[in-house]
Amino acid sequence: MWSIRRALFTWALFTLGLAYAIAVLLLYQSHKDAFYGQWHNQLGYESLNLATQLQHQLPNTALEQIDRQIAALALKPYVTYAALYDQERVLFSTQRQHIHQPPPQIDSFSISEWEREQIHQLPRQPEFSIALDVYYRHGIRVHQHVTLLIHYNLHAAWQQQVRLVWQQALTLLLLALLFLFGLTLLVRQWVLNPLQSLLQGTQRLRQGELGVRIEQSRSHEFGQLSQAFNDLSTHLKKTDDALWRQHRLNTGFADAFPDIAFVLDHNGQVQARFGQNSTALPAQSTLQLGQHFSAWLGAAEANVLTSNLQRALATQTLVVHEFRHDDFYLESRVAPLRQDRHGLVQSEEAQGVLWLIRDISELKRKQQQIEYQANYDPLTDLANRRLALRLLEQKQHLARQQGQYGSVLFIDIDHFKDINDSLGHDLGDALLIQVGQRLQQANQQLHETARLGGDEFLVVSGTLRDSPEMAAQRAYDHASFVLTMLREPFQLGMHTLHISASMGIAVFPCDDCQANDYIRQADTAMYFAKSHGRSTIRVYTDNMQQQTQQRLQLFNDLHEAIKTEAFSLVFQPQCTDNGDVLGAEVLCRWIHHGQFISPEIFIAAAEDSQLIIPLGKWIFRESCLALKRWQDNDQLPPSFERLAINISPSQFMDDQFIDDIQSTVQDLGVCPHRIELELTENVFMGDKQHIRTKMQQLVALDFALSLDDFGTGYSSLSYLQQLPLHKLKIDRSFIHGIDDQQAAPIVASIIQMSHNLGLAVIAEGVETDHQRAYLSRHGCHQFQGYWFSKPLNETDFCRYLTPS
């Protein structure tokens, strides 16, 4: 089967080839006629003219002239031979050897004198001869004649004419090809391409690619055809989409049958069954066609479902009911089937229902699990904050109704973060589980126990008292009992842990308070228990709230003071036995609204609020600036070694700490060996390897490291000897106890231990000469305290360095 493209191309090629062949044939014939006509005229003229000249020359015997004329014919390229002869011999010839020879026997076109008009009827061939009779008078009455024979060869001229024909034929061929090319482009653009587009679109439609669109043709006819195709394709796509949507709906509806479905008549007899086949429901194997739908149910269940069937038929509405059968949670859906295809109501006997049974056991279990997870802590199985708030609201409502009082106990494990950081979160979680178990054991069924998050627990009293004092006392007694239980050691694998807890108590109900308010009050009381030494119990009072607000205000003021650099520095000299100044400790002071704020207060607040890092940066930079001024002004005595700057644990553990202090000393041009960084033992509670590495980096930068308040924290001596420390500072609490015969040997032991570790030792808080003398006798020769000088501002400190 031929395509339109092939048929059109073949027919165009055939017709064009035929037309080209005819044109070339006509061209050839016209050139041939013109060629021979032109040459016949030319040759006839030349030969007749020559015959005429000979006719006049022969009587005059102008032989030389005749010879020259015959010889001149040899110079013409189209004359190959010429001769003038009579009946006996050749008189003149272009070939001299033929002269006086018999006449040549050459087939020639003979023309008599009276037939000279035939000269135009010469043979139409490239090579031919003309024999022309020339008559002349020889005497008065005698006439003689001779014959002029000329042989022509027009091959060269004919070949040139043939080449011209071929050139014109090639030109015609080129024009024909151009015409064919243009015709091909035209047909392709306006006929074949639109047809191909239609064909491809049709094939894509046959392959199921509905909605395909083809490019609109620019021709009117094909434009209408392509538009009709696009409209049809769009309509098919919409129809297919509609059918697919309906199919999806039908499939989804069938798949949504929850496990199993039955068609029941108005009496409840099973007429048909469809739906899921892989269900463990008893109805799957029990119910058969013709049976009553309740055959597999108990009496109570059957009565309820029969009532639902009757209600669905009576109200013509969907009736949904959940019930439990054996170990299954089931959902029953009864939908009426009462209309025929025309929407007419059928007779009562013809009415029926579609009864769908869905197994929702897994859904119910998940709902129960979600409900449990929403109300209970997954780690300890105690109530969570959400459930605790709801129970507390209920308890408060009951207390208001009965005019009685209850309590809330807020429990926080002391130093739980240290346990997590040092022993790991897995051990921390194990500890929380055991703490929850002990709280459950301590509270039994009398109180509700909850875990609020982290290491925070809540106990809501189960019994109410007649007065708030009685409720608070009962809560305090119970908290003491709980605290005693928590102080018992916990065995976690190979670890034995001794812990304590800080507890806060709030009494309810009170005016305009909700459950969250009581938890907040108990939390505030717990915070006060922590601030008073931990492992204690506090009952909430309004004064605590006021103090909490003041503490919050302190945080805000401290943030603003750091922002505005509202602090100042003082310097307490560090001296030897003979009073030489070895160095000084930098201390920070804050005057807020004309009131002196104790460093113990604002430094602790800065540590709690993480403002200690920007404050520490400011103290370090200002200290370096002061040291730079002293060096530039040559105010430091030869005995001055280092300026001691306190570094908090949070500041030390900051990732940018080393980069910050290194860039500061480089910017200010301060020598690091003039700076001593004082660290407390709390620094060593973290990752020991990381801390040791960080300290080694500081020593490599030429900073000196000292251990401040030694003896007040936890330090392993085996770990201390691995640290690149320069000096130990004995805490002032030990110095004040020198007069005590039991405390004094501790100071001597610390000094001796420092010497054994190869560390310098300095005592802070030296306030009497007796203390100085005792320290000196036992090997401590560096001192800091009021016996030598109180902390001084920069001006007074410079005067102290250079006494008059």
Side-chain angles (χ1 to χ4, degrees), residues 160-211:
Q160 184 178 1
Q161 190 69 21
V162 169
R163 284 195 296 271
L164 179 61
V165 171
W166 277 113
Q167 289 177 357
Q168 293 179 352
L170 289 175
T171 303
L172 284 177
L173 179 61
L174 179 61
L175 292 175
L177 292 177
L178 288 176
F179 174 77
L180 180 63
F181 178 72
L183 181 63
T184 302
L185 290 180
L186 184 65
V187 172
R188 178 183 298 175
Q189 178 70 25
W190 294 90
V191 178
L192 297 181
N193 285 348
L195 283 178
Q196 184 66 24
S197 180
L198 283 171
L199 178 61
Q200 291 176 351
T202 304
Q203 290 175 345
R204 292 169 68 182
L205 282 178
R206 293 174 61 185
Q207 294 171 0
E209 192 176 344
L210 303 181

Side-chain angles (χ1 to χ4, degrees), residues 14 53 57 80 88 105 130 159 241 243 245 284 299 347 416 429 453 528 582 599 634 678 700 712 772 796:
F14 172 75
Q53 291 178 1
Q57 291 172 354
T80 59
E88 297 178 355
Q105 299 297 320
I130 300 176
Q159 291 298 324
D241 289 344
L243 291 174
R245 285 194 298 270
Q284 167 76 21
S347 63
F416 180 75
D429 290 345
F528 273 82
L582 294 173
D634 198 19
E678 290 193 358
T712 60
R772 182 203 61 76
D796 293 338

Side-chain angles (χ1 to χ4, degrees), residues 575-593:
C575 304
T576 63
D577 286 325
N578 55 12
D580 292 337
V581 179
L582 294 173
E585 180 182 2
V586 181
L587 302 172
C588 187
R589 296 292 183 262
W590 183 25
I591 306 297
H592 183 53
H593 297 309

Side-chain angles (χ1 to χ4, degrees), residues 488-512:
E488 293 293 327
F490 288 83
Q491 190 65 41
L492 302 175
M494 299 178 62
H495 299 274
T496 300
L497 297 182
H498 295 267
I499 68 169
S500 63
S502 299
M503 303 184 184
I505 298 173
V507 177
F508 64 83
C510 62
D511 295 338
D512 300 326

Side-chain angles (χ1 to χ4, degrees), residues 49-195:
N49 185 44
L50 180 60
T52 302
Q53 291 178 1
L54 292 175
Q55 187 175 18
H56 289 88
Q57 291 172 354
L58 286 172
N60 300 323
T61 64
L63 301 179
E64 292 181 359
Q65 187 176 0
I66 295 172
D67 183 58
R68 284 196 300 271
Q69 288 179 338
I70 296 299
L73 291 176
L75 298 177
K76 295 184 179 183
Y78 48 85
V79 177
T80 59
Y81 178 75
L84 185 66
Y85 58 90
D86 55 15
Q87 296 179 354
E88 297 178 355
R89 58 188 178 88
V90 176
L91 302 177
F92 301 96
S93 176
T94 55
Q95 296 182 6
R96 295 298 182 180
Q97 65 274 18
H98 292 170
I99 298 176
H100 305 303
Q101 295 293 326
Q105 299 297 320
I106 298 175
D107 186 14
S108 62
F109 185 77
S110 179
I111 302 176
S112 61
E113 184 178 9
W114 54 88
E115 294 176 339
R116 292 188 176 182
E117 65 275 5
Q118 297 179 358
I119 192 71
H120 300 291
Q121 300 179 4
L122 295 175
R124 300 175 68 85
Q125 57 188 22
E127 191 173 355
F128 59 91
S129 299
I130 300 176
L132 186 66
D133 292 335
V134 179
Y135 293 88
Y136 63 94
R137 183 182 300 273
H138 186 73
I140 299 176
R141 295 181 177 264
V142 179
H143 288 81
Q144 295 184 354
H145 82 278
V146 293
T147 301
L148 176 63
L149 176 66
I150 304 174
H151 184 78
Y152 294 98
N153 188 344
L154 301 179
H155 280 287
W158 175 244
Q159 291 298 324
Q160 184 178 1
Q161 190 69 21
V162 169
R163 284 195 296 271
L164 179 61
V165 171
W166 277 113
Q167 289 177 357
Q168 293 179 352
L170 289 175
T171 303
L172 284 177
L173 179 61
L174 179 61
L175 292 175
L177 292 177
L178 288 176
F179 174 77
L180 180 63
F181 178 72
L183 181 63
T184 302
L185 290 180
L186 184 65
V187 172
R188 178 183 298 175
Q189 178 70 25
W190 294 90
V191 178
L192 297 181
N193 285 348
L195 283 178

Side-chain angles (χ1 to χ4, degrees), residues 571 573 789-802:
F571 308 90
S789 173
K790 66 178 182 179
L792 304 171
N793 60 37
E794 186 175 355
T795 302
D796 293 338
F797 179 72
C798 292
R799 292 173 184 168
Y800 185 87
L801 292 176
T802 57

Side-chain angles (χ1 to χ4, degrees), residues 255-550:
D255 292 341
F257 285 165
D259 294 352
I260 190 171
F262 299 93
V263 176
L264 309 178
D265 62 14
H266 70 288
N267 292 321
Q269 304 295 324
V270 177
Q271 302 297 317
R273 177 195 176 282
F274 58 94
Q276 300 292 334
N277 294 318
S278 57
T279 173
L281 291 176
Q284 167 76 21
S285 57
T286 303
L287 283 181
Q288 303 295 329
L289 296 181
Q291 282 188 311
H292 194 270
F293 78 99
S294 63
W296 61 289
L297 298 172
E301 299 168 352
N303 292 335
V304 173
L305 291 177
T306 300
S307 175
N308 290 340
L309 184 147
Q310 295 172 352
R311 182 153 59 95
L313 290 173
T315 62
Q316 289 297 300
T317 57
L318 174 68
V319 179
V320 182
H321 173 66
E322 292 183 5
F323 65 99
R324 184 167 183 176
H325 179 77
D326 295 336
D327 294 332
F328 294 94
Y329 290 93
L330 303 176
E331 180 185 76
S332 166
R333 291 174 172 263
V334 182
L337 302 172
R338 70 165 190 167
Q339 293 181 332
D340 60 14
R341 67 179 62 186
H342 303 293
L344 301 176
V345 179
Q346 300 173 342
S347 63
E348 181 179 349
E349 291 75 14
Q351 293 183 16
V353 297
L354 180 66
W355 182 40
L356 297 95
I357 308 171
R358 182 185 180 191
D359 183 2
I360 59 172
S361 303
E362 186 64 24
L363 178 63
K364 280 293 184 180
R365 294 187 184 95
K366 288 182 178 179
Q367 288 177 346
Q368 293 170 357
Q369 182 180 3
I370 292 172
E371 183 68 20
Y372 179 84
Q373 292 174 346
N375 293 297
Y376 289 89
D377 175 55
L379 181 65
T380 61
D381 284 335
L382 299 176
N384 61 12
R385 175 184 287 271
R386 179 173 178 270
L387 181 57
L389 285 171
R390 188 165 71 244
L391 294 174
L392 186 53
E393 286 287 356
Q394 295 172 358
K395 208 68 172 178
Q396 176 195 223
H397 181 69
L398 180 62
R400 290 185 188 278
Q401 286 182 334
Q402 297 181 357
Q404 292 182 312
Y405 297 88
S407 62
V408 177
L409 175 62
F410 195 104
I411 304 171
D412 184 89
I413 307 300
D414 294 331
H415 301 297
F416 180 75
K417 184 178 183 300
D418 297 335
I419 296 173
N420 256 347
D421 293 342
S422 59
L423 300 180
H425 290 276
D426 291 340
L427 203 63
D429 290 345
L431 176 61
L432 292 176
I433 292 173
Q434 290 196 21
V435 169
Q437 292 172 351
R438 289 198 187 182
L439 290 178
Q440 283 280 60
Q441 181 182 357
N443 297 324
Q444 296 179 354
Q445 302 298 325
L446 300 177
H447 309 285
E448 287 291 342
T449 307
R451 179 181 175 229
L452 300 182
D455 61 331
E456 297 177 344
F457 296 86
L458 193 74
V459 178
V460 181
S461 63
T463 57
L464 301 176
R465 295 290 184 263
D466 294 333
S467 66
E469 294 78 13
M470 293 175 62
Q473 184 60 48
R474 179 69 184 88
Y476 193 93
D477 294 340
H478 182 65
S480 300
F481 173 67
V482 171
L483 185 58
T484 301
M485 291 190 67
L486 293 178
R487 285 172 177 167
E488 293 293 327
F490 288 83
Q491 190 65 41
L492 302 175
M494 299 178 62
H495 299 274
T496 300
L497 297 182
H498 295 267
I499 68 169
S500 63
S502 299
M503 303 184 184
I505 298 173
V507 177
F508 64 83
C510 62
D511 295 338
D512 300 326
C513 287
Q514 303 297 326
N516 273 320
D517 298 320
Y518 301 128
I519 295 178
R520 177 181 51 79
Q521 292 174 1
D523 186 17
T524 301
M526 182 277 299
Y527 172 78
F528 273 82
K530 277 189 178 295
S531 64
H532 288 80
R534 304 179 188 272
S535 191
T536 56
I537 304 168
R538 289 291 184 273
V539 179
Y540 174 80
T541 62
D542 292 337
N543 186 48
M544 289 181 180
Q545 181 65 25
Q546 183 179 359
Q547 293 182 34
T548 301
Q549 293 176 351
Q550 291 175 352

